[in-house]
């Protein structure tokens, strides 16, 4: 995965949510405890955090920075923050040396940070669309790429449904719904 995948994921988010910024974003985002607005702000935060990790290349922890979205920010403003932070991650990925490593619960390469950025964007867009009562699924090719990089032991099947199942957001062909999960972003030892 790479910077173009991050751009595609952010574009997909904006395409489905941009026209709905006048809706009530204070409702829960799907099954999350966060509101739709908080969930979108979380996406911006994570995209910025991943960009920062790639730029600073820490080896043992996350940088001591956080993104704060002002309480007065409208849903449209929050989506602009997602756009900005997605652009920062995309730029960091586009300029990263292929051998770059930075910490995410172990050494992680640029493809891992790209996959996490795409996953956060797609999964939380799904959560927000559930809260806003929209029928939406991520682009299947991006879901398949996220599964390949972050969930290599995932079962086969429709990539969107498998990704939702891997992250506790749905059932999958008789398999019990997951209540906890971890993706594999760090490179194997």
């Amino acid at each position: 995965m790479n910077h173009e995948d991050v751009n595609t994921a952010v574009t997909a988010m904006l395409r489905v949510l941009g026209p709905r910024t006048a809706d009530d974003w204070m409702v829960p985002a799907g099954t999350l405890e966060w509101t739709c607005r908080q969930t979108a702000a979380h996406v911006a935060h994570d995209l910025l955090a991943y960009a920062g990790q790639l730029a600073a290349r820490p080896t043992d922890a996350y940088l001591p920075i956080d993104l704060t979205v002002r309480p007065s920010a409208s849903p449209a403003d929050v989506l602009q923050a997602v756009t900005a932070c997605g652009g920062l991650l995309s730029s960091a990925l586009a300029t990263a040396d292929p051998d770059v490593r930075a910490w995410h619960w172990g050494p992680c390469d640029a493809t891992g940070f790209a996959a996490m950025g795409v996953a956060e964007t797609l999964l939380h867009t799904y959560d927000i669309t559930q809260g806003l009562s929209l029928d939406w699924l991520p682009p299947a090719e991006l879901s398949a790429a996220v599964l390949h990089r972050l969930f290599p032991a995932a079962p086969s099947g429709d990539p969107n449904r498998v990704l939702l199942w891997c992250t506790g957001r749905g059932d999958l062909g008789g398999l019990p719904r997951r209540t906890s999960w971890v993706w594999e972003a760090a490179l194997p030892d």
Side-chain angles (χ1 to χ4, degrees), residues 58-76:
T59 59
D60 61 354
Y62 261 93
L63 298 174
I65 60 173
D66 283 304
L67 174 69
T68 300
V69 177
R70 292 184 189 122
S72 62
S74 69

Side-chain angles (χ1 to χ4, degrees), residues 2 26 34 36 53 73 77 86 92 101 105-106 112 121 123 132 143 164 171:
N2 61 37
M26 297 311 288
W34 294 330
C36 293
Q53 291 302 100
D77 294 335
R101 300 292 182 266
W105 308 104
T121 303
L123 292 166
L132 299 178
S143 292
L164 294 175
D171 298 319

Side-chain angles (χ1 to χ4, degrees), residues 22-40:
D23 291 3
D24 181 5
W25 282 50
M26 297 311 288
V27 299
T31 60
L32 302 181
E33 293 180 8
W34 294 330
T35 66
C36 293
R37 186 192 174 288
Q38 289 171 316
T39 302

Side-chain angles (χ1 to χ4, degrees), residues 32 45 88 149 163:
L32 302 181
H45 172 272
L88 292 171
R149 178 57 179 83
L163 181 59

Side-chain angles (χ1 to χ4, degrees), residues 13 39-49 67 69 78 81-83 85-86:
M13 181 182 198
T39 302
H42 168 78
V43 172
H45 172 272
D46 282 358
L47 295 173
L48 178 65
L67 174 69
V69 177
V78 178
V82 170
T83 301
C85 295

Side-chain angles (χ1 to χ4, degrees), residues 9-187:
V10 170
T11 297
M13 181 182 198
L14 297 174
R15 187 175 297 123
V16 70
L17 298 178
R20 303 302 292 259
T21 57
D23 291 3
D24 181 5
W25 282 50
M26 297 311 288
V27 299
T31 60
L32 302 181
E33 293 180 8
W34 294 330
T35 66
C36 293
R37 186 192 174 288
Q38 289 171 316
T39 302
H42 168 78
V43 172
H45 172 272
D46 282 358
L47 295 173
L48 178 65
Y50 298 154
Q53 291 302 100
L54 280 170
R57 300 179 184 141
T59 59
D60 61 354
Y62 261 93
L63 298 174
I65 60 173
D66 283 304
L67 174 69
T68 300
V69 177
R70 292 184 189 122
S72 62
S74 69
D77 294 335
V78 178
L79 288 179
Q80 281 190 314
V82 170
T83 301
C85 295
L88 292 171
L89 176 56
S90 178
S91 295
L93 288 163
T95 59
D97 184 286
D99 296 327
V100 70
R101 300 292 182 266
W103 190 83
H104 179 82
W105 308 104
C108 185
D109 65 355
T111 66
F113 282 104
M116 290 187 297
V118 169
E120 289 286 345
T121 303
L122 297 180
L123 292 166
H124 289 311
T125 298
Y126 175 80
D127 296 330
I128 295 166
T129 61
Q130 296 302 290
L132 299 178
S133 300
L134 301 173
D135 187 26
W136 182 84
L137 287 173
E141 65 279 359
L142 286 180
S143 292
V146 167
L147 288 168
H148 178 75
R149 178 57 179 83
L150 299 179
F151 297 97
S156 61
D158 172 84
N160 286 322
R161 297 296 172 196
V162 173
L163 181 59
L164 294 175
W165 176 80
C166 284
T167 59
R169 289 170 170 82
D171 298 319
L172 186 65
L175 296 173
R177 185 178 211 135
R178 286 185 148 183
T179 57
S180 66
W181 53 274
V182 177
W183 56 41
E184 297 177 33
L187 297 169

